[in-house]
Amino acid sequence: MTDLGVGQDIANAIYTDSQSVLAVARRPIFHARTKHIEVHYHYVMETLSVGEISFSYVPTQDNPAVLFTKALSREKFEAFRKPLSLIPFVD
């Protein structure tokens, strides 16, 4: 944010439903499962370590972002659409 000329005092919060992402980001030990992660992805771990970002776990059933990433039933789609202020598409 500083590069964009916008200062802030707190870390940007990133909410995820992936326990493995949280584990790898919080404990950047390189082993067989992480050795093929490309170098530019390590930037996330660096920004986490200096406090520019923070990760928080959000269960899938409480995360409206799954609307854009997963196939959902109509009921769940409608439930996640409302908090994002998305209106229904009507002809």
Side-chain angles (χ1 to χ4, degrees), residues 9 28 38 44 46 53-54 65 77:
D9 297 330
E38 294 183 30
V44 172
E46 291 172 14
I53 62 172
S54 66
F77 178 83

Side-chain angles (χ1 to χ4, degrees), residues 4 9 12 16-17 22 24 26 32 38 40 42-43 50-51 56 58-59 68 73 75-76 81-82 89 91:
L4 297 174
D9 297 330
N12 290 315
T16 182
D17 61 353
L22 294 172
V24 170
R26 289 188 176 137
E38 294 183 30
H40 64 276
H42 294 286
Y43 174 75
V50 296
S56 295
V58 177
F68 303 111
S73 67
E75 295 79 25
K76 285 191 177 195
R81 183 179 58 83
K82 290 177 184 174
F89 180 77
D91 279 330

Side-chain angles (χ1 to χ4, degrees), residues 48-88:
L48 180 66
S49 67
V50 296
E52 291 180 9
I53 62 172
S54 66
F55 284 106
S56 295
Y57 176 73
V58 177
T60 302
Q61 65 270 12
D62 298 333
N63 189 353
V66 300
L67 176 74
F68 303 111
T69 61
K70 295 181 174 72
L72 300 172
S73 67
R74 182 176 185 91
E75 295 79 25
K76 285 191 177 195
F77 178 83
E78 294 293 331
F80 287 139
R81 183 179 58 83
K82 290 177 184 174
L84 296 173
S85 300
L86 298 174
I87 58 173

